[in-house]
Amino acid sequence: MFALFLRATRAPSLLAAAMPALVLPALAGYQGHDLSLGHAGLTMLGLMALQAGVNVVNDLFDDESGLDADPEFADNPFPLGSRVLQSGKLTRRGMWALAVACFGTGLVCGLILDGVHPGHRVLWLGATGAVLGYFYTAPPLKLAYWGVGEPIIFLLFGPLAGLGAYFVQTGRVDDAAALLISCTLGVMIMAVLYLHHFPQHDADRRHGKKTPIVRLGPAGAGRLVPLMMATPFALVALGIAVGLLPYWAALFIGGAPFAFQASRTALSAADDARRMTGAFQKVMGTLVVAGTLLTVGLAIA
């Protein structure tokens, strides 16, 4: 049962939600704020639960559109969806029950954290994220099907999640370093989604999902990958140069080899599903390695 839960919620992808809850409290500690590990843990649990709920809802509506049942999508070596519906492991009713449980967990975490500081900002940030995540594939908006999924992901996992995690620790959202790091994480997590769309771009096109890869074509979209992967490193370098971040934040560069490999593949083999699946995994490596090293650098500083 636990293995089915991990599959249905696409557990490896939840690392994206964990990163803001890891890095931003480390920044708050570096800046001299009293750091609450309990609040950081609740923030991480809440963000991961909300993302899990969104993942389940997205699978429900991608199944409804026929995308997840597409033969080419099924043959993708690392499919975007969990495919628990197509395999019969869970019914639609079971998936909805799981989504409600995940959103409920996120709500409980949010209610607890909302009492830490006045103003109900935690609830507003969480509610905004949940609504945008729900309508990512849900009608009537179906944001991802109109090709605006990447900006939405940047907003959800960057400024919303990052500044929310920072606010829980500090009671502030008006900090330049927090915004810079939130945007850094947002770009990297957006790149994860962007790369994940390459192997299934034909299936997306057939089912009306107008991702940037569908709109630009694999070769055209592939040329944007180096710029996308360089941006987080440029932002951290800028933060160090202007004194917002300590020199130890340069440990972030440890993720650069993964970013370089992903960029090279995108430029040379954007229409090769198997190789682009490997590039996607390199982008995940960039996020996990660079994000963890940035946390370590801030802790050392």
Side-chain angles (χ1 to χ4, degrees), residues 11-187:
S13 74
L14 303 185
L15 288 171
M19 278 298 149
L22 185 68
V23 182
L24 272 299
L27 172 68
Y30 159 70
Q31 293 175 330
H33 296 280
D34 292 333
L35 186 61
S36 170
L37 295 180
H39 293 158
L42 273 176
T43 302
M44 183 176 293
L45 175 61
L47 288 173
M48 293 175 73
L50 288 176
Q51 187 193 344
V54 168
N55 286 349
V56 174
V57 168
N58 287 350
D59 276 359
L60 280 160
F61 287 107
D62 276 341
D63 172 72
E64 193 173 271
S65 73
L67 175 60
D68 282 6
D70 190 285
E72 181 179 343
F73 185 89
D75 289 339
N76 182 359
F78 199 94
L80 189 59
S82 66
R83 298 194 57 75
V84 295
L85 281 170
Q86 291 74 34
S87 64
K89 300 291 185 181
L90 276 177
T91 64
R92 293 186 64 84
R93 179 176 293 184
M95 287 285 278
W96 277 115
L98 178 57
V100 169
C102 291
F103 283 125
T105 301
L107 176 61
V108 170
C109 293
L111 287 171
I112 295 172
L113 293 171
D114 191 58
V116 176
H117 300 290
H120 301 299
R121 291 189 181 181
V122 170
L123 282 185
W124 279 112
L125 289 169
T128 301
V131 169
L132 286 174
Y134 179 83
F135 286 111
Y136 181 80
T137 53
L141 299 182
K142 300 181 72 171
L143 296 167
Y145 284 76
W146 291 99
V148 295
E150 277 73 10
I152 294 298
I153 291 300
F154 167 78
L155 180 63
L156 287 175
F157 291 95
L160 281 177
L163 293 179
Y166 185 79
F167 176 78
V168 167
Q169 298 293 334
T170 67
R172 296 180 55 192
V173 293
D174 58 343
D175 183 85
L179 179 60
L180 183 142
I181 288 182
S182 296
C183 290
T184 298
L185 295 174
V187 172

Side-chain angles (χ1 to χ4, degrees), residues 212-273:
I213 292 78
V214 170
R215 291 182 181 273
L216 299 173
R223 286 192 285 270
L224 296 179
V225 173
L227 175 62
M228 195 177 295
M229 298 309 300
T231 298
F233 297 95
L235 288 174
V236 171
L238 174 64
I240 295 172
V242 301
L244 291 175
L245 300 177
Y247 289 114
W248 277 105
L251 287 176
F252 186 81
I253 198 70
F258 296 95
F260 176 77
Q261 293 171 36
S263 299
R264 185 172 60 181
T265 301
L267 289 174
S268 63
D271 58 351
D272 186 319

Side-chain angles (χ1 to χ4, degrees), residues 179-232:
L179 179 60
L180 183 142
I181 288 182
S182 296
C183 290
T184 298
L185 295 174
V187 172
M188 286 199 295
I189 296 167
M190 179 180 71
V192 171
L193 176 69
Y194 188 78
L195 267 290
H196 215 166
H197 282 146
F198 277 85
Q200 62 187 58
H201 70 275
D202 281 339
D204 284 338
R205 176 176 48 78
R206 284 193 293 273
H207 295 276
K209 199 170 189 178
K210 300 173 183 177
T211 67
I213 292 78
V214 170
R215 291 182 181 273
L216 299 173
R223 286 192 285 270
L224 296 179
V225 173
L227 175 62
M228 195 177 295
M229 298 309 300
T231 298

